[in-house]
């Protein structure tokens, strides 16, 4: 399997090169040349596989340049850190299914992808004899999941900038209590935007990037999307007993990575009727799906902060297919977007979008009500991101339809928002509770790219 760029400017590369490249060198996003098709027969034969076995079946179709036994070992290592033997267990509450994706080390769904990405990096670097310095900015969730993905691994150092005092206490503890010597937390005196701009600036300095082999872990890495494809299949296999039953998935969406993985599963032949694209007040994608209006608004802070995003970086991957796999059309559209802050769609394109997706934007007050109602009726506590998806699913549900809602974080990670909704904080898992007593390590620094650069130069591997 080879990988191409949405912008058409690279010679097709192997899986291993796609993983190391992250963003394509022409500024586009990497995609597989084709999607392997999964028949009903194959699906049936997968019915009794464990999560890890299923992950191997799916990932090996896309990563055929990694020897099967090595890939198996990497997958097994990646999910050995999950505290639930099913990895992503599924439960039924109030007429919908909840797919719990938060049983990894940092209690959010990003672990499913970043545990694997960390192991892939480490494996590929060992083979090539190279080293890598990962640099990233986080508003909370991605940073801790990335740190847990590569902590203690040879040939990798990781530098994560977070805005000092502006993440939740638990998120800060998750990042700063990791004792491994390859982990460097930078607490920047500024906002998340400052952090992100610093990272962008340093990545834009090509000699610096080359000299220190800077690597990225953001959600545009193809391996992250691929790891997430697995749980759509896993959930479908758990829920449907008839071989071709179509179901819906409801996905709380920020950067469009998670829901794009669902789209990949659908293109591979998994019987998905539609993907429900759930947004909070940052609703550019909902406006796009419902009326073709893709125009940037201002980012609003909400109780589901990991979805407070306007321009979804993975959306370009979907647009590539919507535009008939034409790099020229993608380039023209994004040139225009750079100038006007808008993308335009034809009626035929909008009709296609509405075949693939159904979208709802959920307000914070609706989100709190959903958490409260769910708790009252079932005793189950939803985190605010998951609640956005559940609210959308309940509104969209028609008689007899099965909907699987992706639960993207453990409620204890967002205790304040949960308390606003139900009047009490969720129980805190022991692994999170014990972080309070651990020593913290971070470097407080002015939000200045030159300070960060000097710090990296001093501590790079
Ligand atoms: C990152 C994140 C999301 C959004 O996922 P995308 O892949 O960016 O759409 C939703 N919920 C939680 C808890 C997250 O951490």
């Amino acid at each position: 399997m080879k990988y191409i760029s949405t912008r058409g400017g690279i010679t097709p590369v192997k899986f291993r090169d796609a993983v190391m490249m992250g963003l394509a060198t022409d500024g586009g996003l990497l995609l597989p040349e084709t999607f392997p098709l999964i028949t009903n027969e194959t699906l049936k034969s997968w019915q009794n596989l464990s999560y890890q076995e299923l992950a191997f079946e799916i990932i090996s179709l896309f990563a055929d340049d990694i020897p099967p036994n090595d890939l198996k070992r990497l997958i097994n290592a990646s999910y050995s850190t999950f505290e639930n033997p099913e990895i992503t267990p599924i439960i039924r509450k109030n007429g919908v299914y909840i797919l719990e994706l938060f049983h990894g080390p940092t209690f959010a769904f990003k672990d499913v992808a970043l545990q694997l990405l960390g192991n892939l990096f480490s494996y590929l670097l060992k083979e090539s004899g190279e080293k890598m310095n990962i640099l990233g900015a986080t508003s909370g969730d991605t940073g801790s999941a990335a740190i847990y993905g590569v902590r203690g691994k040879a040939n990798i150092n990781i530098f994560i900038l977070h805005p000092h005092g502006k993440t939740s206490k638990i998120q800060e503890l998750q990042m700063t209590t990791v004792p491994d010597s390859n982990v460097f937390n930078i607490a920047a005196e500024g906002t998340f935007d400052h952090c992100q701009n610093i990272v962008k600036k340093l990545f834009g300095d090509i000699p610096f990037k080359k000299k220190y082999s800077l690597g990225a872990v953001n959600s545009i890495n193809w391996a992250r999307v691929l790891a997430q494809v697995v749980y759509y299949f896993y959930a479908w296999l758990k829920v449907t007993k008839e071989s071709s039953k179509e179901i819906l998935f409801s996905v709380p969406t920020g950067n469009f990575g998670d829901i794009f993985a669902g789209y990949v599963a659908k293109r591979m032949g998994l019987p998905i009727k539609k993907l429900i694209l759930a947004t909070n007040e940052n609703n550019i994608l909902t406006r796009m799906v419902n009326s073709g209006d893709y125009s940037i608004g201002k980012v609003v802070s909400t109780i589901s902060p990991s979805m407070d995003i306007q321009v979804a970086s993975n959306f370009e991957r979907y647009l590539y297919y919507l535009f008939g796999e034409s790099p020229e059309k993608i380039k023209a559209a994004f040139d225009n977007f750079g100038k006007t802050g808008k993308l335009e769609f034809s009626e035929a394109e909008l009709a296609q979008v509405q075949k693939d997706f159904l979208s709802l934007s959920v307000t914070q007050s609706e989100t709190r009500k959903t958490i409260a109602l769910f708790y009252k009726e079932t005793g189950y506590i939803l985190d605010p991101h998951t609640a956005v998806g559940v609210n959308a699913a309940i509104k969209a549900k028609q008689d007899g339809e099965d909907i699987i809602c992706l639960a993207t974080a453990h409620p204890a990670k967002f205790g304040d928002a949960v308390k606003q909704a139900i009047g009490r904080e969720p129980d805190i898992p022991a692994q999170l509770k014990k972080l309070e007593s651990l020593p913290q390590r971070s470097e407080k620094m002015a939000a200045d790219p030159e300070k960060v650069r000097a710090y990296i130069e001093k501590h790079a591997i």
Side-chain angles (χ1 to χ4, degrees):
M1 176 73 74
K2 290 277 180 68
Y3 291 83
I4 48 138
S5 163
T6 51
R7 309 259 170 132
I10 66 162
T11 325
V13 295
K14 290 186 202 162
F15 175 76
R16 55 179 63 215
D17 300 317
V19 174
M20 297 314 279
M21 202 181 274
L23 191 71
T25 45
D26 64 352
L29 300 187
L30 295 164
L31 282 168
E33 271 184 331
T34 55
F35 287 118
L37 287 181
I38 305 303
T39 61
N40 283 345
E41 297 295 285
T42 308
L43 272 179
K44 213 178 251 167
S45 73
W46 286 352
Q47 200 94 47
N48 296 318
L49 297 186
S50 69
Y51 188 92
Q52 290 87 332
E53 288 164 342
L54 182 67
F56 174 76
E57 293 298 329
I58 293 169
I59 295 172
S60 61
L61 299 171
F62 293 91
D64 50 6
D65 55 327
I66 302 212
N69 282 334
D70 291 354
L71 186 59
K72 270 187 196 152
R73 193 171 45 75
L74 292 170
I75 289 170
N76 288 336
S78 301
Y79 299 112
S80 68
T81 55
F82 280 59
E83 47 83 31
N84 189 297
E86 292 205 60
I87 314 302
T88 63
I90 188 159
I91 56 166
R92 190 174 169 86
K93 298 266 176 212
N94 258 12
V96 293
Y97 291 94
I98 307 279
L99 176 61
E100 294 186 339
L101 302 174
F102 51 73
H103 292 280
T106 72
F107 296 86
F109 89 99
K110 292 189 170 69
D111 289 328
V112 178
L114 283 164
Q115 285 290 305
L116 181 68
L117 186 64
N119 283 314
L120 276 169
F121 276 157
S122 162
Y123 170 81
L124 295 174
L125 289 169
K126 191 167 172 209
E127 291 221 319
S128 66
E130 290 169 52
K131 296 181 189 321
M132 179 189 247
N133 289 288
I134 292 171
L135 172 62
T138 186
S139 57
D141 274 352
T142 308
S144 54
I147 288 171
Y148 275 78
V150 302
R151 60 181 293 188
K153 295 210 182 332
N155 307 317
I156 303 178
N157 279 2
I158 182 165
F159 297 85
I160 295 290
L161 278 81
H162 69 266
H164 178 63
K166 293 195 174 68
T167 65
S168 78
K169 189 68 200 163
I170 284 189
Q171 288 173 329
E172 181 188 317
L173 284 167
Q174 283 184 307
M175 292 188 279
T176 59
T177 55
V178 175
D180 303 81
S181 61
N182 68 331
V183 173
F184 299 87
N185 282 289
I186 299 172
E189 291 171 292
T191 62
F192 171 58
D193 277 348
H194 290 127
C195 296
Q196 220 169 7
N197 287 336
I198 293 171
V199 168
K200 263 195 206 149
K201 177 144 192 209
L202 296 177
F203 270 105
D205 179 345
I206 303 300
F208 180 76
K209 180 176 175 223
K210 279 225 167 91
K211 180 165 181 203
Y212 293 100
S213 307
L214 291 192
V217 282
N218 42 19
S219 69
I220 48 92
N221 195 301
W222 167 252
R224 284 186 62 176
V225 173
L226 179 56
Q228 293 171 196
V229 172
V230 175
Y231 51 68
Y232 284 89
F233 278 89
Y234 188 72
W236 185 93
L237 289 165
K238 288 265 152 183
V239 160
T240 58
K241 297 290 172 243
E242 309 155 44
S243 61
S244 57
K245 179 154 187 202
E246 286 200 321
I247 59 175
L248 291 91
F249 283 89
S250 183
V251 189
T253 302
N255 253 328
F256 205 80
D258 206 2
I259 197 162
F260 184 73
Y263 176 76
V264 172
K266 186 165 154 59
R267 291 208 46 138
M268 289 170 72
L270 189 69
I272 296 177
K273 187 171 168 198
K274 264 183 197 187
L275 294 156
I276 301 175
L277 191 164
T279 58
N280 62 24
E281 277 101 336
N282 297 284
N283 62 1
I284 179 170
L285 289 167
T286 300
R287 285 186 276 118
M288 191 268 157
V289 172
N290 293 339
S291 62
D293 168 22
Y294 190 89
S295 55
I296 313 186
K298 220 171 132 47
V299 178
V300 185
S301 294
T302 73
I303 55 170
S304 47
S306 299
M307 295 157 65
D308 293 348
I309 289 167
Q310 282 287 337
V311 178
S313 51
N314 271 293
F315 194 50
E316 180 170 335
R317 285 194 158 111
Y318 173 70
L319 291 179
Y320 179 76
Y321 296 105
L322 186 65
F323 292 164
E325 306 188 26
S326 160
E328 285 69 38
K329 264 193 103 170
I330 288 281
K331 277 189 287 194
F334 279 94
D335 274 353
N336 197 37
F337 183 69
K339 288 181 204 132
T340 62
K342 267 189 196 168
L343 288 177
E344 309 273 341
F345 300 94
S346 69
E347 262 176 39
E349 284 162 353
L350 188 57
Q352 181 59 48
V353 171
Q354 293 176 350
K355 256 194 201 159
D356 296 328
F357 303 100
L358 185 164
S359 188
L360 289 135
S361 165
V362 179
T363 65
Q364 296 186 78
S365 112
E366 289 175 302
T367 304
R368 280 190 285 263
K369 274 188 201 142
T370 299
I371 297 173
L373 191 73
F374 228 75
Y375 179 59
K376 190 166 149 237
E377 291 182 348
T378 69
Y380 187 85
I381 303 180
L382 300 167
D383 107 278
H385 303 78
T386 307
V388 168
V390 168
N391 180 291
I394 290 173
K395 279 189 203 145
K397 190 172 160 69
Q398 296 177 357
D399 280 351
E401 275 180 348
D402 282 331
I403 305 189
I404 298 178
C405 300
L406 273 54
T408 51
H410 190 288
K413 281 197 92 165
F414 300 94
D416 289 345
V418 168
K419 192 171 177 193
Q420 287 170 21
I422 65 170
R424 76 161 182 98
E425 297 226 3
D427 294 336
I428 300 181
Q431 294 102 304
L432 286 180
K433 189 115 197 92
K434 77 166 190 252
L435 298 180
E436 285 164 19
S437 59
L438 298 179
Q440 286 183 254
R441 267 189 329 131
S442 75
E443 187 77 19
K444 206 162 139 194
M445 210 178 285
D448 172 354
E450 294 318 310
K451 293 256 159 58
V452 176
R453 182 199 303 273
Y455 184 76
I456 293 173
E457 283 169 349
K458 190 162 163 213
H459 298 283
I461 188 169

